[in-house]
Amino acid sequence: MMENRDSIIEFPCDFPIKVIGRSSTKLSELVLSIIRQHISDFLAESMCSKKSGKGKYTSVTITVRVSNKNILDAIYKDLSSKPEIIMVL
C-alpha cells in the first residue's frame, strides 16, 4: 500500500530556485536577504545571475538546502511577495 504524502520531494534536499526580475533592481541582494531569513548560513557565492538577451531582465539561480516543506514554502512565499520579483520558479 502506498503512503499518502503531502510532497513528492524527500527532505532534506538541495533545491534549485530561479528568481526573475527587472535588471534595474538589485535583485541578487534582495534574493540573498530573503534566503538568509530562512537559511542563515546560506553562502552568496553559491548564487548565479544572468541578464536576458536584451538586458531588460535578470535571473538569479540559487540552490538551497532545505530540511522540510514548510521552509521551502516560506521561501517561495517571501520571494513571490516582493514587487521587484516577477517570477519564482
Side-chain angles (χ1 to χ4, degrees):
M1 180 189 254
M2 194 173 198
E3 283 185 40
N4 186 9
R5 300 170 89 181
D6 289 339
S7 174
I8 59 171
I9 302 169
E10 291 187 28
F11 296 96
C13 68
D14 293 329
F15 196 88
I17 299 173
K18 181 175 277 196
V19 180
I20 301 169
R22 297 203 192 310
S23 292
S24 59
T25 65
K26 295 185 178 186
L27 190 61
S28 294
E29 291 86 353
L30 176 61
V31 171
L32 182 60
S33 70
I34 292 170
I35 296 300
R36 285 194 173 153
Q37 291 173 12
H38 301 279
I39 303 169
S40 59
D41 60 347
F42 181 78
L43 299 174
E45 295 80 27
S46 62
M47 296 174 62
C48 177
S49 65
K50 182 179 178 183
K51 288 195 178 202
S52 65
K54 295 184 180 180
K56 186 174 180 181
Y57 301 100
T58 297
S59 68
V60 176
T61 304
I62 57 171
T63 300
V64 292
R65 181 79 176 164
V66 289
S67 57
N68 62 60
K69 184 179 183 300
N70 293 336
I71 293 172
L72 187 57
D73 288 346
I75 290 170
Y76 268 86
K77 180 182 174 198
D78 289 350
L79 287 168
S80 298
S81 72
K82 300 298 180 188
E84 301 90 342
I85 295 175
I86 297 169
M87 189 180 307
V88 182
L89 306 170

